[in-house]
C-alpha cells in the first residue's frame, strides 16, 4: 500500500478532513447566500492543507512515484 499511497498517513487523513469540511459547507448551501464567506473558507482549507504538507516535508523524502529529472541547461 505504501507504493500506492505515497506520503504520511496523517496527510491522507488531513485530505479526508478537508473533504468533509468542504462537504459540510456545501450541504448548508453557503455558496448560494454567502459566496464571499464560502470562497474564503475554501481557500483557507486549501491553504492549510498545502502548508501542512509543505512545512512537514523533510528533504530527501519521496513525494512522487517517478524521480523528477531536472533538465540540463
Amino acid at each position: 500500500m505504501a507504493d500506492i499511497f505515497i506520503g504520511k498517513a496523517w496527510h491522507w487523513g488531513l485530505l479526508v478532513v478537508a473533504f468533509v469540511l468542504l462537504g459540510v459547507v456545501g450541504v448548508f448551501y453557503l455558496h448560494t447566500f454567502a459566496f464571499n464567506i464560502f470562497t474564503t473558507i475554501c481557500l483557507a482549507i486549501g491553504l492549510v492543507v498545502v502548508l501542512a504538507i509543505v512545512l512537514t516535508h523533510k528533504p530527501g523524502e519521496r513525494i512522487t512515484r517517478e524521480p523528477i529529472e531536472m533538465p540540463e541547461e
Side-chain angles (χ1 to χ4, degrees):
M1 291 304 281
D3 288 334
I4 297 172
F5 298 106
I6 298 172
K8 299 173 183 159
W10 74 272
H11 289 168
W12 291 98
L14 187 62
L15 184 65
V16 170
V17 169
F19 284 159
V20 169
L21 289 175
L22 290 171
V24 168
V25 170
V27 165
F28 289 116
Y29 299 107
L30 195 59
H31 59 285
T32 60
F33 62 88
F35 187 75
N36 291 339
I37 295 171
F38 169 76
T39 304
T40 303
I41 290 171
C42 289
L43 290 173
I45 290 170
L47 182 66
V48 167
V49 170
V50 169
L51 283 177
I53 292 172
V54 168
L55 294 177
T56 60
H57 171 71
K58 295 178 186 163
E61 282 184 328
R62 182 175 163 198
I63 57 172
T64 61
R65 295 189 194 290
E66 306 294 327
I68 299 172
E69 297 178 15
M70 301 302 291
E72 297 290 327
E73 291 186 35

